[in-house]
Amino acid sequence: MQTYNTAEFCFPNINTSCRKTRLDHSELIYSVLSCISLLTVSLNLLVIISISHFRQLHTTTNILLLSLAVTDFLVGLMQMPAEMLLLQGCWILGDLLCTAGFFLGFISINASTGNMVLISVDRYIAICDPMFYSTKVTLRRVQFCICVCWIFSAVHSSWIMRDLLKQPGRYNSCYGECVMVINYIEGAVDLCVSFFAPILVVVVLYVRIFVVAVSQARAMRSHVAAAAQQRSKTKTAKKSEMKAARTLGVVVVVFLMCFCPYYSFTIAAENNLISASTAASQIRLIYINSCLNPLIYAFFYPWFRKSIKFIVTGQILKPNSCNSSL
């Protein structure tokens, strides 16, 4: 009769306990993931505070960035620590919190994708139809679209996870496991709704933005010097919009690079078994994207760097600091 060392089991006192997964360089992996999680939470919290506090940043585009930062903040605060708990294949928080973790993960992924679509639409109207941007893209409409995005993400995630929400832990084969199984139909629907359709919209819009931007640049160079002053004002506005488009374009490209491996894995898998132990690398790459977004803002946006200085130095606590010029 074969015997096992009790240290190999997640719960040695329980007969149905799962066995621990052997992990090389576990201390290094824990340290790296902890640093990424802390950095993700800190940077996205700075984005949230900056856009929420300073009135100058209450623009339609920044409200979309605020929504994206909230999803990234939740990933760093909840999903990454859960990932670290599952590194050895042992889930110690119970089936209910396991289900809640998957549910929040689905909502975060869907909300991030929806925010990317909204950001692309915002830049498309700003570049391709600038005369009507202020009338078409109002703060109230943007807030409404963000609410619809989050509600849709919650409804879609509830449908995908309806069986697991009814019976948490129904797919576990041993005590201490945290897995979720998605059947073929649900996986295909999720793939289309959460990836193919949004990515198609984003790519088409940014191709259109690029074509219009090139044509505008050529037209600007061919202008006569008769209206030099008026053209200077228009050119400054165009540069500002194009800079925002380029920055958010980088965000979209990084998003695609981080999300494509996970969905490619989903397509290639014969059975869509989603668990942190079997698809850790793909899921972890999605989580890292939440850390990269605020780093992009810090590199491209002067207002973000200035707002960080205000927050870190405590100037944000001064009276009327919300009206400070960034």
Side-chain angles (χ1 to χ4, degrees):
M1 182 177 179
Q2 189 176 7
T3 60
Y4 296 104
N5 185 353
T6 57
E8 295 180 354
F9 293 91
C10 299
F11 301 91
N13 298 327
I14 300 177
N15 293 332
T16 57
S17 172
C18 298
R19 300 185 65 183
K20 293 181 180 179
T21 303
R22 293 183 179 180
L23 191 66
D24 297 329
H25 310 293
S26 59
E27 293 182 358
L28 177 61
I29 296 175
Y30 276 112
S31 299
V32 172
L33 289 179
S34 298
C35 291
I36 294 176
S37 178
L38 182 61
L39 191 63
T40 301
V41 170
S42 302
L43 290 176
N44 283 288
L45 186 60
L46 287 173
V47 176
I48 294 171
I49 294 174
S50 299
I51 298 177
S52 301
H53 180 76
F54 296 104
R55 291 180 181 176
Q56 182 185 344
L57 302 181
H58 292 179
T59 64
T60 53
T61 302
N62 287 343
I63 294 300
L64 294 174
L65 294 182
L66 176 62
S67 177
L68 182 61
V70 171
T71 63
D72 293 337
F73 174 78
L74 292 176
V75 168
L77 184 66
M78 306 183 70
Q79 299 304 119
M80 288 185 180
E83 172 74 10
M84 288 187 283
L85 284 176
L86 276 169
L87 281 176
Q88 289 188 323
C90 299
W91 181 258
I92 62 174
L93 300 180
D95 294 336
L96 189 61
L97 287 180
C98 171
T99 302
F102 277 118
F103 185 65
L104 289 175
F106 268 102
I107 291 180
S108 299
I109 291 174
N110 290 321
S112 294
T113 308
N115 285 323
M116 287 298 171
V117 173
L118 294 177
I119 289 172
S120 301
V121 172
D122 174 78
R123 288 301 89 200
Y124 173 79
I125 298 176
I127 301 300
C128 301
D129 199 5
M131 295 294 293
F132 299 97
Y133 178 80
S134 59
T135 56
K136 287 184 177 181
V137 185
T138 63
L139 197 60
R140 187 177 296 274
R141 288 181 180 177
V142 169
Q143 291 171 342
F144 174 77
C145 290
I146 291 174
C147 290
V148 170
C149 174
W150 281 89
I151 292 173
F152 175 80
S153 299
V155 172
H156 177 67
S157 301
S158 299
W159 179 78
I160 291 290
M161 293 185 56
R162 60 189 183 278
D163 293 334
L164 194 61
L165 290 173
K166 292 178 182 177
Q167 185 183 344
R170 64 178 299 169
Y171 301 115
N172 295 349
S173 59
C174 57
Y175 190 83
E177 191 174 29
C178 180
V179 296
M180 176 181 173
V181 177
I182 299 180
N183 63 37
Y184 178 79
I185 296 177
E186 293 167 349
V189 172
D190 182 57
L191 198 63
C192 293
V193 172
S194 302
F195 186 68
F196 284 134
I199 296 310
L200 179 63
V201 173
V202 169
V203 171
V204 169
L205 289 178
Y206 264 92
V207 168
R208 177 60 179 165
I209 289 172
F210 176 76
V211 172
V212 171
V214 171
S215 64
Q216 287 179 352
R218 290 176 179 174
M220 195 172 294
R221 285 194 297 266
S222 63
H223 259 287
V224 293
Q229 185 176 0
Q230 182 65 29
R231 184 180 61 181
S232 176
K233 294 180 181 179
T234 305
K235 188 174 181 179
T236 301
K238 290 292 183 183
K239 281 185 176 181
S240 176
E241 296 294 350
M242 283 306 303
K243 183 178 180 180
R246 285 195 299 269
T247 301
L248 298 176
V250 173
V251 172
V252 170
V253 170
V254 172
F255 170 82
L256 293 176
M257 292 174 62
C258 292
F259 274 66
C260 281
Y262 167 74
Y263 283 102
S264 298
F265 167 81
T266 303
I267 296 172
E270 295 181 2
N271 298 314
N272 288 331
L273 177 63
I274 300 178
S275 108
S277 58
T278 57
S281 58
Q282 290 83 6
I283 296 176
R284 202 170 293 144
L285 190 60
I286 292 179
Y287 295 162
I288 291 175
N289 177 72
S290 298
C291 181
L292 295 177
N293 285 338
L295 290 176
I296 296 172
Y297 307 152
F299 185 78
F300 286 98
Y301 284 139
W303 60 258
F304 184 48
R305 295 193 295 271
K306 292 179 182 178
S307 65
I308 291 177
K309 184 178 179 181
F310 265 81
I311 296 171
V312 172
T313 58
Q315 297 182 54
I316 193 173
L317 301 176
K318 294 181 178 180
N320 206 33
S321 62
C322 59
N323 295 318
S324 300
S325 177
L326 300 176

